[in-house]
Amino acid sequence: MRSRHRRITAAALAAVAVLGLPACSAVLGEEESLVDATSLTIGVKTDQPGLGLKDENGDITGFDVDVALYIAGRLGVSADDVEFTGVTSADREEKLIDGDVDMVVATYSITPVRKTQVTFGGPYYVAKQDVLVRAEDTGIQGVRDLEGLSVCQGAGSNSAARIAEGLGIGIRKTEEPSYSACIDSLREGGVDAVSTDNLILAGFLAEDPSAFRFVNNPFTDEKYGVGLPYGDVRACEAVNKAISLMYQEGKAKEFLDTWFGETGLQRVESVPQFEGCV
Ligand code: GLU
């Protein structure tokens, strides 16, 4: 789809000319919505194992990809008409606003600040933030032990603020372009810890279990939303309906088991409480 232009009918245009009404008046015509799309470009992460990871053939797979395909299907768009494209934590809002993507399903927490630019369907999952350290580093047993230590976050993410501002813990924040770059830095001794959503950390840990240790001290609710063009309330409502069905049909459990069944991570399998489409 990828068109953010508002559509009004020819009749409405005529009315605008005659009556001098503003063209954006909602009474004149229905606003363009993703519910009418016949194809979708969906932004996902490409470097987060278990969530959105691009392989050597260019295929992107993971929990977020499965969720996105399920929702697209419920909006009447088949997998063949879905194009996935990579987004980072830093460019999710921009890509939605610019119309480079129609939808973002990318470990994207719903926050009050983001809600001023993006309409969020969901959440489709509520993750918890946690901490990953090097396996041999036994000194860090909880998030409070991060006081004074260097903690990496992917640029544009809200994870460091959850510790520094949310919990008042004085960390030394380091930013890398992505969480995979943070994990490399942790492995190489560049930082003391990576703290972000437990699903993200579990995915990286599963790839290299001997290198890292999961602190297992969950805090915060990270409500994973489906990012939609600002104001597309019809799409938001349709997405929420799709998410409800995804849980009712057991698909959410199936996707979680597929991607995180062997990680030992405790998974939430009940439908999350929706935020509301405003
Ligand atoms: N869920 C958090 C966020 O949206 C951290 C992970 C990410 O940035 O993708 O900020």
Side-chain angles (χ1 to χ4, degrees), residues 45 48 64 87-90 92-93 106-111 114 127 129 153-160 162 179 195-197 200 222-224:
K45 293 289 183 77
Q48 292 181 183
D64 279 349
V87 292
T88 64
S89 296
R92 293 176 289 203
E93 287 89 356
T107 60
Y108 198 8
S109 296
I110 303 171
T111 69
R114 291 172 182 165
Q129 188 163 330
Q153 80 159 4
S157 169
N158 65 350
S159 297
R162 296 286 199 206
Y179 277 103
S195 179
T196 188
D197 313 334
I200 297 177
E222 295 303 316
K223 299 174 187 171
Y224 283 180

Side-chain angles (χ1 to χ4, degrees), residues 40 51 62 136 263:
L40 287 171
L51 288 153
E136 67 276 13
T263 61

